[in-house]
């Protein structure tokens, strides 16, 4: 029986064939990035298997398992806890993964990932075609790969492919995504060889062609997919042009590769490729060009294409053959099922915060801002199970922490009512989303998600209702539990002395539209709240200056997003005074001592304080002797970010 969403998205959900095999739909789960859930010596853990079970149940027609390094020395190893496939001893758990995928009706593909320039994480060096210094200091010093090593590397890839098929996978994939070994041979930035593997584009593609040929010969009855850049975004460093990228795709097609996955960018690229500052659909032109160039080769694509409806339209328009998706399914593993049931308004959207990459680049297991269960699927305390005792719960604060707790608790059978003094759901996120320089709709989608799911679950939300001890006394016998998710507030006691009659506005209040700046604006605090507001005001042609006590801006910003804020500050010409201490605020403006010890006055008509913030915990203490259980949650514990708020709310909702 066709579900209503399947009828709307007929092309996306229609069966098709690939490499002579029936595929249930046109969705390919991309290997995305290594999870870092495994052991340091390359073995798969129960944590990884639990995560993979969730992926296998996403409903994708093709599922690519995360990249495994193929060499025993570990020159291809990019992450401390990356899985290995250089020996048969690793096969039993790969067999379990292949079986999970196939039992759920998917075609199972194993990615073979040799990181090259970004590898050798345990060795202190990396290998690449030529000794080209790293542009990012945390990568290893390069060594030039010899011809003998090239032949050995190709052999190891072919053996890894055979091992993958032996484990039960239907095919394999090799990748140049993000600047791994294959990419470094293809690119003129990192390939400066003068032998037959360097120089012309034909020579630079030789390693790829030999790699494809070796795997095809070793696994002749099984498909091989190659991921290739449609754009490197490495012009600053002398990387390949888009024309060269497409010529390399033609080389791969001529070698008989069964599918090309079109990707964008390197880790070193000074431009964004997958963050929310890139509009959805921006990179579609690359897959459209690939499809026109190679009409007979299946093309997979999904870079910054988070929506099934957009993907369905692209499939109808012939822009690609398979929607390749990963991060949106990390954010909501049930997205395809919700789409099939015409419940897209209940999907948690990937907001492009790049929390996943930020964690990986700090050698940590990846997690997701929007999906608090990611990486914890093996842990019972992260499961939404029926409550042993059904309770009446009051949640004070309709921000992400409060709403996450409310929805999770409601799913467990509790009766939940949310109170908020403001006129809409969202808390401080309303201001952040409304002023975000990136794709604002990504953040606003979080608010819509909570509104929609609260209605479906029967969670009552009472807005424009301030909660205080007087109200609580009227409700003493109604609620068993109070969750205090009142967020953080500006700590005015820590502001410098302020002259009588001079007003200092709170940044969150201004961001939410409860304060109108004018004239010359000075913002105290160059963290994410101050930066977001400063950028928004600057786009409105306002004169804004940022004062930050630390030596650098964006101290509390996600590591993979810091550069974006600092770049916007430069692009918008926003002056910033860093390493500066504000010592007095008066009618002249803000008096500071800057990083060089020089006292100066920053003239200001409007002064906005974005820091320091403290948890708003008044109700925690006020309700201690009024209600059976009182739990602080989110920023009411300590000010952090969206991901921490959602994590706190979810965990508390699972526990009550």
């Amino acid at each position: 029986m066709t579900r209503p969403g399947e009828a709307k998205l007929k092309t996306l959900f229609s069966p098709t064939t690939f490499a002579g095999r029936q595929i249930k739909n046109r969705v390919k789960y991309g290997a995305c990035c290594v999870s870092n859930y495994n052991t340091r010596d390359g073995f798969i853990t129960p944590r990884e298997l639990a995560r993979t079970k969730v992926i296998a149940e996403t409903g994708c027609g093709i599922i690519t398992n995360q990249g495994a390094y193929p060499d025993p020395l570990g020159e291809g190893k990019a992450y401390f806890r990356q899985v290995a496939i250089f020996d048969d001893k690793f096969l039993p758990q790969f067999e379990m993964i292949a079986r999970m995928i196939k039992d759920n009706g998917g075609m199972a593909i194993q990615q073979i990932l040799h990181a090259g320039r970004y590898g050798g994480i345990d060795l202190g060096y990396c290998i690449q075609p030529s000794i080209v210094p790293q542009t990012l200091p945390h990568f290893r010093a390069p060594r030039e790969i010899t011809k003998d090593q090239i032949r050995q590397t190709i052999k190891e890839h072919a053996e890894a492919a055979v091992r993958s098929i032996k484990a039960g996978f239907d095919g394999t994939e090799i990748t140049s995504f993000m600047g791994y070994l294959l990419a470094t041979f293809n690119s003129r930035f990192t390939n400066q060889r003068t032998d037959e593997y360097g120089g012309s584009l034909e020579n630079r593609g030789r390693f790829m062609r030999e790699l494809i040929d070796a795997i095809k010969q070793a696994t002749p009855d099984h498909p091989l997919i190659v991921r290739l850049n449609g754009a490197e975004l490495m012009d600053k460093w002398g990387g390949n042009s888009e024309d060269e990228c497409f010529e390399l795709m033609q080389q791969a097609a001529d070698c008989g590769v069964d599918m090309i996955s079109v990707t964008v960018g390197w880790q070193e690229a000074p431009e964004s490729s997958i963050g929310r500052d890139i509009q959805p659909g921006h990179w579609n032109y690359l897959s459209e060009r690939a499809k026109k160039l190679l009409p007979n080769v299946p093309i997979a694509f999904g870079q910054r294409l988070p929506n099934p409806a957009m993907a369905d339209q692209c499939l109808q328009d012939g822009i690609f053959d398979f929607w390749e998706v990963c991060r949106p399914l990390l954010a909501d593993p049930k997205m395809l099922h919700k789409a099939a049931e015409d419940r897209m308004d209940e999907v948690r959207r990937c907001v492009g915060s790049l929390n996943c990459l930020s964690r990986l680049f700090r050698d940590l297991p990846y997690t997701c801002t929007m999906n608090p269960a990611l990486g914890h699927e093996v842990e019972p305390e992260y499961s939404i199970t029926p409550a042993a005792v059904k309770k009446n719960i009051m949640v004070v604060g309709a921000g992400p922490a409060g709403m996450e707790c409310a929805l999770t608790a409601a799913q467990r059978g509790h009766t939940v009512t949310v109170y908020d003094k403001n006129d809409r759901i969202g808390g401080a996120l309303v201001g952040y989303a409304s002023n975000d320089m990136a794709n604002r709709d990504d953040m606003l989608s979080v608010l819509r998600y909570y509104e929609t799911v609260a209605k479906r679950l029967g969670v009552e939300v009472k807005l424009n209702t301030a909660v205080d001890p007087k109200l609580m006394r009227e409700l003493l016998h109604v609620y068993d539990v109070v969750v205090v998710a009142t967020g953080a507030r500006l700590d005015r006691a820590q502001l410098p002395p302020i002259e009588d009659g001079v007003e200092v506005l709170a940044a969150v209040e201004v961001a939410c539209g409860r304060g109108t700046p004018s004239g010359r604006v000075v913002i105290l605090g160059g963290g994410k709240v101050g930066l977001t507001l400063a950028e928004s005001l600057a786009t409105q042609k306002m004169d804004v200056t940022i004062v930050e006590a630390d030596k650098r801006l964006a101290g509390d910003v996600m590591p993979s997003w810091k550069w974006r804020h600092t770049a916007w500050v430069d692009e918008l010409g926003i002056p910033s005074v860093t390493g500066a201490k504000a010592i007095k605020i008066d009618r002249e403006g803000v008096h500071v001592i800057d990083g060089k010890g020089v006292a100066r006055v920053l003239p200001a008509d409007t002064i906005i304080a974005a820091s320091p913030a403290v948890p708003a915990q008044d109700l925690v203490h006020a309700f201690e002797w009024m209600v059976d259980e009182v739990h602080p949650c989110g920023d009411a514990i300590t000010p952090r970010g969206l991901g921490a708020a959602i994590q706190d709310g979810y965990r508390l909702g699972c526990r009550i």
Side-chain angles (χ1 to χ4, degrees), residues 275-337:
R276 70 177 183 276
D277 55 327
I278 301 297
Q279 290 296 311
H282 174 79
W283 300 114
N284 287 3
Y285 75 94
L286 295 171
S287 64
E288 186 171 18
R289 180 175 176 180
K291 192 67 235 171
K292 288 178 180 177
L293 176 69
L294 305 167
N296 298 319
V297 177
I299 300 296
F301 182 77
Q303 201 95 350
R304 249 335 242 152
L305 195 66
N307 187 298
M310 292 178 69
D312 185 78
Q313 188 61 55
C314 290
L315 288 163
Q316 289 183 45
D317 295 342
I319 291 175
F320 48 75
D321 302 288
F322 287 90
W323 180 36
E324 186 159 38
V325 58
C326 171
R327 284 177 178 81
L329 284 171
L330 296 183
D332 192 336
K334 296 181 180 178
M335 178 181 67
L336 283 183
H337 300 292

Side-chain angles (χ1 to χ4, degrees), residues 145 407 522:
I145 188 171
L407 302 190
V522 173

